[in-house]
Amino acid sequence: MKSHQLKLYNTLSRDKEEFQPINPPFVGMYVCGPTVYGDAHLGHGRPAITFDTVNRYLTHLGYKVRYVRNITDVGHLQGDADEGEDKIAKKAKLEQLEPMEVAQQYTDTYHRDMALLNTLKPNIEPRATGHIPEQIALVEAILKEGLAYEVNGSVYFDVLKYNKTYKYGKLSGRVLEELMSGSRDLDGQGEKRNAVDFALWKNAASEHLMKWESPWGLGFPGWHLECTAMSSKYLGSQFDIHGGGMDLMFPHHECEIAQGNACNHRDPARYWMHNNMITINGQKMGKSLGNFITLQELFTGKHDLLEQAYSPMTIRYFILTAHYRSTLDFSNEALQAAQKGYKKIINGLKIARNLEYQSEEGIALDENQIKQIESSIANAYRAMDDDFNTAQAIGHLFNLLKKINSIFTGQLKSASLGKEVFDQLKDNFITFVTQILGLVEEKSDVQENMLDLLLQLYGEAKKARDYAKVDEIRAGLKSMGFVVKDMKDKIDWAYEE
């Protein structure tokens, strides 16, 4: 395992902590996945790319990661509450489908979009409906601990009783007394002893589409319960990292901590990581607010807010250019800047892959250039070790890119770096771009063959001094987003930046 002092921001302690896995080199990471009742939007893309990058970097450092990301296909009610209609069941009624048809349809489209964003598949992707027995067993265990109560076929977590031994609100910073005060108007209404209590299992009304047999009658699991059941099944009662969007911190993750302590007398995760939100005009993007842009709309440009289509790698690069804990505001200007930055990186990747060391006698080592390259590589790693700061890492990659371009144009001789430093420059740039940041070149074999043919025709026209044809080919390539690179010994192409 590579020697790195990796630090990550732990929401639980509100501080950066040195990462120390429970059982190195193994790392258990659970991330809350989507509720599958609609197409994935840009807000879904951010946690997927954030924790894909965490997974990639930990793996790069030599850790053996078990990455678990769930699919919520039952129990997530409208408004993230304990009352109301199931989000998937509501969609099923509107479209006159079975709930599992809806869940399968949007699970498939989510997987399609995640593949386009080049996120690696999690090692395990459990579904809530596939773990009903585990959830029932969890409810029984919490009841046995005396921290839950049953009313009319529903089971609720007793937050006030729990808070006598543990601290409810320690993750989110919520104060129980203030929560109680804020929900005073609900006291005495409904089945709960206190408005702050939350559902572990809900009794299903006759018209409810998704329900299962349980010791308390026909019902369905609470949203928070699902993640506790699935994370503990695949990662144990305590694991290393729990991730998700900042909007899940309360009540979802707070309730997961309460359930974990109630059953196992310990927090479920040692490190809690939360990515910040994507905003549009300063307002959180989300389905419930109706201001979201789906990933497919971004890829095709078919949305009123979009001036053009943006490729999946442009979206990935856009998300990586901000630290995951900072807000990221959507705008066409920001996406167009990301498109240019991505193309510069990929042009550099094309060059780096084809660069070969040229040894030349009589050329002395350029210590200043060597020092700059070694410093940029070290700083890129230092940025990733500092709470996965991809934004800073990309800045240092651009410093390496300048050196790669200088070698390509002949301004910098590879021999002046020495073989070892040249290899470090090339290998680290390629590794960071492809393995750690997960950026790939978006080009098909057909496109590759077309470009080769056009460059061949361009070369023949240039040799024949048919400058009208030269200009025509150059203009045609530019209209498709490519530029011709005329060099002394060859003709090449690059993405137009």
Side-chain angles (χ1 to χ4, degrees):
M1 191 160 12
K2 297 181 181 180
S3 177
H4 282 256
Q5 191 178 34
L6 174 62
K7 288 188 174 182
L8 56 82
Y9 184 86
N10 190 351
T11 309
L12 195 60
S13 66
R14 286 163 180 70
D15 200 6
K16 286 182 187 175
E17 299 179 14
E18 185 176 347
F19 181 58
Q20 296 181 329
I22 297 168
N23 185 29
F26 300 99
V27 172
M29 181 170 73
Y30 184 89
V31 176
C32 288
T35 300
V36 282
Y37 68 105
D39 285 321
H41 56 70
L42 190 55
H44 291 117
R46 191 171 198 188
I49 289 169
T50 294
F51 293 102
D52 177 63
T53 307
V54 171
N55 180 27
R56 285 173 177 273
Y57 191 60
L58 290 172
T59 301
H60 174 71
L61 295 184
Y63 290 107
K64 298 182 184 301
V65 183
R66 176 178 286 180
Y67 175 20
V68 181
R69 184 184 66 206
N70 73 296
I71 296 288
T72 294
D73 56 0
V74 68
H76 196 169
L77 306 186
Q78 293 291 316
D80 300 345
D82 286 336
E83 303 296 335
E85 199 168 5
D86 185 291
K87 292 183 177 185
I88 291 169
K90 181 180 179 181
K91 185 78 169 182
K93 286 179 183 177
L94 287 172
E95 299 190 5
Q96 295 184 309
L97 297 170
E98 284 291 324
M100 285 299 99
E101 284 184 272
V102 170
Q104 189 62 54
Q105 175 186 338
Y106 291 114
T107 298
D108 290 345
T109 59
Y110 177 78
H111 287 154
R112 172 202 65 196
D113 292 343
M114 293 307 105
L116 289 171
L117 292 171
N118 198 35
T119 63
L120 302 175
K121 292 180 181 178
N123 301 97
I124 303 173
E125 192 174 51
R127 296 185 183 214
T129 53
H131 296 77
I132 299 298
E134 290 88 348
Q135 293 173 76
I136 290 172
L138 202 58
V139 177
E140 291 176 321
I142 296 173
L143 280 166
K144 190 175 179 180
E145 291 286 338
L147 293 174
Y149 54 92
E150 186 262 336
V151 183
N152 300 327
S154 294
V155 182
Y156 296 96
F157 192 94
D158 193 330
V159 172
L160 291 186
K161 194 170 182 182
Y162 168 85
N163 203 56
K164 291 177 181 178
T165 305
Y166 304 96
K167 184 182 178 183
Y168 184 78
K170 68 178 184 176
L171 178 71
S172 61
R174 305 291 179 98
V175 178
L176 186 55
E177 289 75 18
E178 292 177 2
L179 291 171
M180 292 285 290
S181 175
S183 58
R184 191 178 296 143
D185 58 323
L186 297 175
D187 286 352
Q189 299 179 24
E191 301 174 328
K192 298 179 184 181
R193 291 177 184 172
N194 294 284
V196 292
D197 295 347
F198 57 90
L200 298 173
W201 186 267
K202 284 290 291 180
N203 178 50
S206 58
E207 68 273 13
H208 200 89
L209 296 177
M210 306 172 80
K211 50 197 171 188
W212 290 264
E213 287 285 356
S214 79
W216 316 282
L218 281 174
F220 57 92
W223 174 38
H224 315 307
L225 186 75
E226 299 169 3
C227 286
T228 298
M230 291 184 284
S231 64
S232 59
K233 178 179 176 67
Y234 297 109
L235 297 174
S237 60
Q238 189 176 58
F239 49 93
D240 297 298
I241 298 172
H242 194 311
M246 196 171 284
D247 56 333
L248 297 177
M249 193 188 306
F250 186 88
H252 188 52
H253 291 165
E254 197 73 72
C255 294
E256 281 189 64
I257 288 177
Q259 290 164 167
N261 277 305
C263 284
N264 304 309
H265 311 291
R266 64 202 307 195
D267 288 349
R270 291 180 67 175
Y271 304 93
W272 289 80
M273 295 180 66
H274 293 92
N275 66 274
N276 213 321
M277 300 295 98
I278 290 180
T279 57
I280 296 182
N281 300 322
Q283 186 181 39
K284 174 200 161 188
M285 178 185 291
K287 281 195 178 76
S288 59
L289 298 171
N291 67 346
F292 64 94
I293 302 174
T294 69
L295 291 170
Q296 283 297 310
E297 286 170 336
L298 282 160
F299 302 157
T300 60
K302 294 178 180 178
H303 191 284
D304 291 343
L305 290 173
L306 297 173
E307 294 178 1
Q308 63 176 79
Y310 299 99
S311 73
M313 285 299 100
T314 296
I315 300 303
R316 184 177 181 106
Y317 182 87
F318 169 64
I319 288 171
L320 291 172
T321 54
H323 189 275
Y324 76 89
R325 285 193 291 113
S326 65
T327 55
L328 181 59
D329 197 53
F330 163 86
S331 71
N332 281 283
E333 292 76 16
L335 283 169
Q336 285 161 9
Q339 186 177 58
K340 288 182 179 179
Y342 162 71
K343 286 181 177 179
K344 285 180 180 177
I345 288 286
I346 293 303
N347 282 335
L349 181 65
K350 278 179 77 258
I351 292 169
R353 281 175 166 159
N354 294 316
L355 275 187
E356 293 184 3
Y357 181 73
Q358 302 291 330
S359 61
E360 295 181 45
E361 291 185 8
I363 293 184
L365 293 180
D366 190 329
E367 296 296 339
N368 187 46
Q369 294 283 0
I370 291 170
K371 188 181 293 184
Q372 289 176 11
I373 290 168
E374 290 177 337
S375 176
S376 293
I377 293 170
N379 286 336
Y381 273 107
R382 194 171 291 118
M384 291 302 295
D385 288 341
D386 184 16
D387 196 28
F388 306 97
N389 196 328
T390 54
Q392 285 188 6
I394 287 171
H396 297 302
L397 284 188
F398 273 104
N399 290 333
L400 295 179
L401 178 57
K402 289 176 184 176
K403 306 301 180 187
I404 288 168
N405 286 333
S406 293
I407 295 171
F408 181 64
T409 59
Q411 292 174 296
L412 177 63
K413 299 290 186 181
S414 57
S416 68
L417 303 177
K419 181 73 164 60
E420 184 179 348
V421 173
F422 172 84
D423 287 344
Q424 286 177 4
L425 169 64
K426 177 176 175 175
D427 295 346
N428 278 282
F429 185 82
I430 293 171
T431 295
F432 257 91
V433 172
T434 61
Q435 293 181 26
I436 296 173
L437 298 180
L439 296 169
V440 293
E441 187 177 357
E442 295 174 313
K443 178 168 56 64
S444 67
D445 290 340
V446 171
Q447 191 180 62
E448 181 77 53
N449 293 334
M450 176 201 73
L451 287 166
D452 288 344
L453 177 60
L454 285 172
L455 286 186
Q456 182 181 338
L457 293 173
Y458 178 89
E460 290 171 357
K462 190 177 178 184
K463 192 174 182 179
R465 298 190 178 185
D466 185 351
Y467 296 118
K469 179 63 69 177
V470 166
D471 292 341
E472 182 184 350
I473 295 172
R474 184 182 286 276
L477 282 167
K478 187 173 183 180
S479 71
M480 292 184 283
F482 305 100
V483 291
V484 177
K485 296 280 190 180
D486 277 307
M487 288 169 284
K488 288 180 181 178
D489 56 345
K490 64 177 179 176
I491 300 168
D492 204 351
W493 62 269
Y495 294 101
E496 186 180 25
E497 297 169 5

